[in-house]
Amino acid sequence: MTRKRRTVDKKNNAPHIVRTVILLSVFAASVLLMWSTVIRPPNTRFNLNRKMTKELKDSELFEDLQSGKTICFVGDSITSGAMTDGVTWYDPLVPYIEGDIRNFSHSRWTTGNLLEHRSEIPEADVYVIAIGINDVIFIDDESGAASGEEYISNLEILDGTLNTTSPGSKRYYITPWILIGFPEEYNEKREEFSESLYSWCNEKERICIDPFPVIDSFLEGDNISYFMHDAVHPNDRQGVQLFSYAVLYQDHQRRSVS
């Protein structure tokens, strides 16, 4: 009788065990869902490798990165990685670069500062130049450009130097990077510089890439802290991934309509 009673007890408990397992599974799934959507929003997992689509690989810049040519990145702190322990905006692109990489950049550099050191720019087959955001920020700095016209005048001198340093080299000019929370006058100046650069590149058969629309589309509300180190610099995780993605995407867009 004792053994039979134990058998009956086990059968009666089976439904309770099944329900317990189901409830635990539901609870675990709920925790995972909360973790992915609340604690770790999808945008914090932005990764260029996952987004390296056929479109991005079709960009002209990506083809140059894989060509085996020497690539020189020129710019300010966003290019030098001064605010992110040496992690540059193009760091996610490095695994795709087949040739030598050179970096000529310095924190707080304006176009005027860059011209002061232009004789030190190393030789390269391809230059990716991202300079101008400090000209916008430091409006009263004598080393910066006070207008779009002066900005282009400085780049004309730089371009002439590169013609001498590396004849036949290819140049990509990136418009001034995004600014977060600055007064409207700063954003208007950034737009003026960007439009001037676009017009100048078209006249000179240079390549102009404006990553602003893509970057701006990701920076809303709390997402800003996921991508930005501060009001100017991308952070060394998702931020540089986003900046690199935006450059390739916009270059692909440019190429598709040209």
Side-chain angles (χ1 to χ4, degrees), residues 23-40:
L23 289 173
L24 288 174
S25 299
V26 171
F27 175 76
S30 299
V31 170
L32 289 174
L33 179 61
M34 181 184 68
W35 174 257
S36 63
T37 59
V38 178
I39 300 176
R40 297 183 61 199

mmCIF file of all heavy atoms in Angstrom, residues 23-40:
data_model
loop_
_atom_site.group_PDB
_atom_site.id
_atom_site.type_symbol
_atom_site.label_atom_id
_atom_site.label_comp_id
_atom_site.label_asym_id
_atom_site.label_seq_id
_atom_site.Cartn_x
_atom_site.Cartn_y
_atom_site.Cartn_z
ATOM 1 N N LEU A 23 6.072 28.463 -15.823
ATOM 2 C CA LEU A 23 6.143 29.775 -15.200
ATOM 3 C C LEU A 23 7.583 30.282 -15.114
ATOM 4 O O LEU A 23 7.859 31.462 -15.359
ATOM 5 C CB LEU A 23 5.524 29.725 -13.795
ATOM 6 C CG LEU A 23 3.998 29.569 -13.742
ATOM 7 C CD1 LEU A 23 3.538 29.358 -12.310
ATOM 8 C CD2 LEU A 23 3.328 30.813 -14.331
ATOM 9 N N LEU A 24 8.491 29.381 -14.773
ATOM 10 C CA LEU A 24 9.910 29.764 -14.713
ATOM 11 C C LEU A 24 10.431 30.168 -16.088
ATOM 12 O O LEU A 24 11.214 31.108 -16.232
ATOM 13 C CB LEU A 24 10.748 28.618 -14.148
ATOM 14 C CG LEU A 24 10.586 28.339 -12.644
ATOM 15 C CD1 LEU A 24 11.354 27.075 -12.252
ATOM 16 C CD2 LEU A 24 11.077 29.542 -11.835
ATOM 17 N N SER A 25 9.985 29.445 -17.130
ATOM 18 C CA SER A 25 10.412 29.760 -18.499
ATOM 19 C C SER A 25 9.901 31.129 -18.919
ATOM 20 O O SER A 25 10.614 31.919 -19.534
ATOM 21 C CB SER A 25 9.905 28.691 -19.474
ATOM 22 O OG SER A 25 10.429 27.431 -19.149
ATOM 23 N N VAL A 26 8.634 31.389 -18.598
ATOM 24 C CA VAL A 26 8.048 32.692 -18.924
ATOM 25 C C VAL A 26 8.780 33.802 -18.191
ATOM 26 O O VAL A 26 9.085 34.866 -18.762
ATOM 27 C CB VAL A 26 6.544 32.714 -18.579
ATOM 28 C CG1 VAL A 26 5.992 34.135 -18.720
ATOM 29 C CG2 VAL A 26 5.785 31.760 -19.474
ATOM 30 N N PHE A 27 9.094 33.577 -16.922
ATOM 31 C CA PHE A 27 9.802 34.572 -16.132
ATOM 32 C C PHE A 27 11.188 34.843 -16.714
ATOM 33 O O PHE A 27 11.622 35.995 -16.842
ATOM 34 C CB PHE A 27 9.929 34.097 -14.682
ATOM 35 C CG PHE A 27 10.747 35.016 -13.815
ATOM 36 C CD1 PHE A 27 10.205 36.213 -13.358
ATOM 37 C CD2 PHE A 27 12.055 34.697 -13.474
ATOM 38 C CE1 PHE A 27 10.957 37.066 -12.572
ATOM 39 C CE2 PHE A 27 12.808 35.546 -12.702
ATOM 40 C CZ PHE A 27 12.257 36.739 -12.238
ATOM 41 N N ALA A 28 11.870 33.758 -17.086
ATOM 42 C CA ALA A 28 13.211 33.920 -17.670
ATOM 43 C C ALA A 28 13.157 34.695 -18.976
ATOM 44 O O ALA A 28 13.991 35.566 -19.243
ATOM 45 C CB ALA A 28 13.844 32.539 -17.897
ATOM 46 N N ALA A 29 12.151 34.387 -19.802
ATOM 47 C CA ALA A 29 12.001 35.094 -21.078
ATOM 48 C C ALA A 29 11.719 36.568 -20.849
ATOM 49 O O ALA A 29 12.207 37.438 -21.566
ATOM 50 C CB ALA A 29 10.880 34.456 -21.897
ATOM 51 N N SER A 30 10.908 36.853 -19.817
ATOM 52 C CA SER A 30 10.581 38.244 -19.502
ATOM 53 C C SER A 30 11.825 39.007 -19.063
ATOM 54 O O SER A 30 12.028 40.163 -19.433
ATOM 55 C CB SER A 30 9.522 38.302 -18.389
ATOM 56 O OG SER A 30 8.336 37.654 -18.802
ATOM 57 N N VAL A 31 12.668 38.354 -18.265
ATOM 58 C CA VAL A 31 13.907 38.988 -17.814
ATOM 59 C C VAL A 31 14.819 39.278 -18.995
ATOM 60 O O VAL A 31 15.397 40.358 -19.105
ATOM 61 C CB VAL A 31 14.628 38.096 -16.781
ATOM 62 C CG1 VAL A 31 16.027 38.640 -16.492
ATOM 63 C CG2 VAL A 31 13.814 38.018 -15.507
ATOM 64 N N LEU A 32 14.936 38.311 -19.907
ATOM 65 C CA LEU A 32 15.778 38.511 -21.082
ATOM 66 C C LEU A 32 15.250 39.638 -21.957
ATOM 67 O O LEU A 32 16.013 40.434 -22.503
ATOM 68 C CB LEU A 32 15.860 37.210 -21.900
ATOM 69 C CG LEU A 32 16.672 36.080 -21.272
ATOM 70 C CD1 LEU A 32 16.545 34.810 -22.122
ATOM 71 C CD2 LEU A 32 18.139 36.483 -21.156
ATOM 72 N N LEU A 33 13.914 39.695 -22.094
ATOM 73 C CA LEU A 33 13.321 40.755 -22.900
ATOM 74 C C LEU A 33 13.589 42.113 -22.270
ATOM 75 O O LEU A 33 13.943 43.074 -22.957
ATOM 76 C CB LEU A 33 11.816 40.529 -23.023
ATOM 77 C CG LEU A 33 11.034 41.585 -23.840
ATOM 78 C CD1 LEU A 33 11.560 41.612 -25.268
ATOM 79 C CD2 LEU A 33 9.549 41.280 -23.812
ATOM 80 N N MET A 34 13.432 42.198 -20.946
ATOM 81 C CA MET A 34 13.700 43.453 -20.248
ATOM 82 C C MET A 34 15.159 43.851 -20.407
ATOM 83 O O MET A 34 15.498 45.003 -20.648
ATOM 84 C CB MET A 34 13.357 43.309 -18.769
ATOM 85 C CG MET A 34 13.595 44.593 -17.962
ATOM 86 S SD MET A 34 13.281 44.373 -16.200
ATOM 87 C CE MET A 34 14.631 43.280 -15.766
ATOM 88 N N TRP A 35 16.046 42.895 -20.323
ATOM 89 C CA TRP A 35 17.483 43.152 -20.453
ATOM 90 C C TRP A 35 17.825 43.715 -21.827
ATOM 91 O O TRP A 35 18.626 44.617 -21.967
ATOM 92 C CB TRP A 35 18.250 41.859 -20.211
ATOM 93 C CG TRP A 35 19.735 41.965 -20.453
ATOM 94 C CD1 TRP A 35 20.442 41.515 -21.524
ATOM 95 C CD2 TRP A 35 20.697 42.572 -19.586
ATOM 96 N NE1 TRP A 35 21.763 41.792 -21.378
ATOM 97 C CE2 TRP A 35 21.952 42.445 -20.197
ATOM 98 C CE3 TRP A 35 20.602 43.214 -18.347
ATOM 99 C CZ2 TRP A 35 23.120 42.942 -19.610
ATOM 100 C CZ3 TRP A 35 21.767 43.706 -17.767
ATOM 101 C CH2 TRP A 35 22.993 43.563 -18.394
ATOM 102 N N SER A 36 17.178 43.161 -22.864
ATOM 103 C CA SER A 36 17.503 43.589 -24.227
ATOM 104 C C SER A 36 16.850 44.900 -24.616
ATOM 105 O O SER A 36 17.392 45.650 -25.415
ATOM 106 C CB SER A 36 17.086 42.502 -25.227
ATOM 107 O OG SER A 36 15.685 42.320 -25.198
ATOM 108 N N THR A 37 15.678 45.197 -24.044
ATOM 109 C CA THR A 37 14.960 46.390 -24.483
ATOM 110 C C THR A 37 15.056 47.556 -23.519
ATOM 111 O O THR A 37 14.891 48.698 -23.923
ATOM 112 C CB THR A 37 13.467 46.064 -24.701
ATOM 113 O OG1 THR A 37 12.926 45.590 -23.471
ATOM 114 C CG2 THR A 37 13.289 45.023 -25.778
ATOM 115 N N VAL A 38 15.321 47.284 -22.237
ATOM 116 C CA VAL A 38 15.385 48.367 -21.272
ATOM 117 C C VAL A 38 16.812 48.610 -20.813
ATOM 118 O O VAL A 38 17.341 49.711 -20.910
ATOM 119 C CB VAL A 38 14.481 48.065 -20.056
ATOM 120 C CG1 VAL A 38 14.597 49.179 -19.030
ATOM 121 C CG2 VAL A 38 13.039 47.891 -20.509
ATOM 122 N N ILE A 39 17.456 47.555 -20.330
ATOM 123 C CA ILE A 39 18.811 47.715 -19.815
ATOM 124 C C ILE A 39 19.814 47.886 -20.953
ATOM 125 O O ILE A 39 20.734 48.683 -20.862
ATOM 126 C CB ILE A 39 19.199 46.497 -18.949
ATOM 127 C CG1 ILE A 39 18.210 46.379 -17.777
ATOM 128 C CG2 ILE A 39 20.607 46.633 -18.419
ATOM 129 C CD1 ILE A 39 18.433 45.158 -16.922
ATOM 130 N N ARG A 40 19.632 47.160 -22.040
ATOM 131 C CA ARG A 40 20.534 47.257 -23.181
ATOM 132 C C ARG A 40 19.729 47.548 -24.435
ATOM 133 O O ARG A 40 19.353 46.636 -25.158
ATOM 134 C CB ARG A 40 21.329 45.964 -23.350
ATOM 135 C CG ARG A 40 22.257 45.625 -22.204
ATOM 136 C CD ARG A 40 23.045 44.362 -22.516
ATOM 137 N NE ARG A 40 23.859 44.536 -23.686
ATOM 138 C CZ ARG A 40 24.366 43.523 -24.405
ATOM 139 N NH1 ARG A 40 24.093 42.296 -24.076
ATOM 140 N NH2 ARG A 40 25.113 43.758 -25.455
#
